[in-house]
Amino acid sequence: GGFGGLVAAVGSAGGFGGGSGGSGVGFGGDIQSDCLLERKPKHEKHPKVAGPGAARKPGEKPKPKKGDESKWSYIEKDRWSITLDARNTVKPEEVDTKDEAIRILRTHPEKYFGCQWIKAPYVGKAKVFPRNCIFYGTGWEESQSQPEAFGAMKAEYCVLPAKIPGPIRADMYTTGCLSQFSQFRLSSKSPGRQQGLCDVPGLKLIGDVDPGDIRQGEVGDCWLLSAISAVAEFDGAIHKLFEP
């Protein structure tokens, strides 16, 4: 398996190594025998593992965790409503009353982003919004149309204190090329500090590494993510990249 028993690192015309059978035939060029590299012994390799993601269906996300109950906060605002992006295809769940919507949200805040309701004398169903909806902006705002008719509540997990202790030392990329897209000026966000970025239980730099954890989003970087996923199949390989 792999690139063969012996891999040629350099050829006179730029060769790259043997085929799957280890014949010593590369992608091009003659093999230079004094540049052969032996494969690591089996006991020195990272063992290949299948993490919990292997049991999930393609496209299925890991089950959300509720985390520490005491770190959930529920923010209620009068005249506000939940805002969905035009691209959203996930329908909110409708219930009869405000109390029922709040009960569902408080019971499973890891599954639901928030809820909204219609206030008397207006009539309508209350709605509970799953977290896999595509939200617009922060996900809620003061209602622009008949604000007196709406009320909303949002569930927020406080992983870290909202205020960052001490000064922030921004690097040249944060204040440079990453601070602007087209004509728009962008601001930086801190994960887990109630700024709408990774405000979820179990936030870590590196947790349980699993090849199935990859989520591409809308950036065309599948070539990079597929390589990271392949490396993640080997136990400890990702952690090794971050060792000092």
Side-chain angles (χ1 to χ4, degrees), residues 31-177:
I31 303 301
Q32 236 178 306
S33 59
D34 58 344
C35 292
L36 295 178
L37 303 176
E38 291 188 9
R39 296 180 68 182
K40 282 187 176 182
K42 191 172 183 179
H43 68 274
E44 292 184 10
K45 295 180 181 179
H46 291 289
K48 196 169 183 178
V49 297
R56 296 196 298 266
K57 297 178 181 179
E60 182 182 356
K61 294 184 178 181
K63 291 183 179 180
K65 298 178 181 179
K66 192 171 184 178
D68 185 349
E69 183 68 47
S70 65
K71 291 188 176 182
W72 283 104
S73 62
Y74 302 91
I75 308 164
E76 181 176 345
K77 289 191 177 183
D78 195 25
R79 304 170 67 90
W80 279 52
S81 59
I82 306 296
T83 55
L84 295 176
D85 193 278
R87 300 166 296 166
N88 178 66
T89 58
V90 180
K91 293 183 178 180
E93 300 176 16
E94 293 188 346
V95 294
D96 291 328
T97 65
K98 167 188 174 181
D99 290 341
E100 187 176 356
I102 291 177
R103 180 188 62 79
I104 293 173
L105 178 63
R106 285 181 171 271
T107 303
H108 295 291
E110 76 283 6
K111 296 181 180 179
Y112 299 99
F113 171 84
C115 62
Q116 72 177 37
W117 52 86
I118 306 296
K119 296 164 56 181
Y122 299 91
V123 178
K125 294 276 191 179
K127 297 180 180 180
V128 189
F129 296 80
R131 290 192 174 272
N132 59 344
C133 289
I134 302 177
F135 298 95
Y136 176 78
T138 61
W140 67 334
E141 62 182 20
E142 187 170 3
S143 181
Q144 302 300 314
S145 175
Q146 296 180 310
E148 70 280 0
F150 295 97
M153 176 180 285
K154 175 184 175 184
E156 194 171 71
Y157 194 76
C158 306
V159 187
L160 300 169
K163 188 175 181 181
I164 301 175
I168 300 176
R169 293 182 295 176
D171 55 47
M172 58 183 291
Y173 302 104
T174 303
T175 56
C177 62

